[in-house]
Amino acid sequence: ADIPVIPDLEDVQEEDLAMQMAAPPSVQVNRVLTYHDLDKDLMKYAAFQTLDGEVDLKLLTKVLAPEHELREDDVSWDWDHLFTEVSSELVTEWDLGQSERED
């Protein structure tokens, strides 16, 4: 009764469903919206102009800057140069403040 039996290959394939993979679902994607399209939609639909039905965002949406105006070039900072520049500006401001007080 304790003699091991080699299973048939057909029996193993039917029982081992965990190793089989399901086919992925197919989703139809029409198109991906660009930032430009999203900006147009933001201005067009009134639903985006209020937050939680209470906060009016119309003023904010009127003055939002386009993405191309917000992009800046990456500039590396040199600590010594930055420190010298800021300290010289502060000294200049202090000198101007003292000269205005003396006048």
Side-chain angles (χ1 to χ4, degrees), residues 18-99:
M19 296 302 292
Q20 294 181 3
M21 292 186 199
S26 61
V27 178
Q28 183 179 14
V29 177
N30 294 337
R31 70 183 186 101
V32 177
L33 293 176
T34 61
Y35 282 117
H36 182 68
D37 295 336
L38 292 173
D39 287 340
K40 283 184 182 177
D41 289 345
L42 180 66
M43 298 301 177
K44 188 186 330 180
Y45 298 112
F48 291 122
Q49 295 184 359
T50 59
L51 181 64
D52 294 334
E54 299 176 6
V55 180
D56 187 14
L57 299 176
K58 291 177 187 173
L59 182 62
L60 176 65
T61 56
K62 288 179 183 177
V63 295
L64 286 176
E67 181 186 4
H68 64 84
E69 290 181 8
L70 301 176
R71 295 237 180 230
E72 293 181 354
D73 295 332
D74 290 336
V75 178
S76 61
W77 289 6
D78 178 26
W79 171 252
D80 295 329
H81 181 263
L82 184 63
F83 181 78
T84 305
E85 183 179 334
V86 170
S87 62
S88 67
E89 287 179 13
L90 288 174
V91 168
T92 304
E93 288 179 12
W94 290 333
D95 289 343
L96 288 175
Q98 287 180 355
S99 65

Side-chain angles (χ1 to χ4, degrees), residues 13-24:
Q13 287 179 349
E14 290 176 7
E15 293 175 2
D16 193 19
L17 296 177
M19 296 302 292
Q20 294 181 3
M21 292 186 199

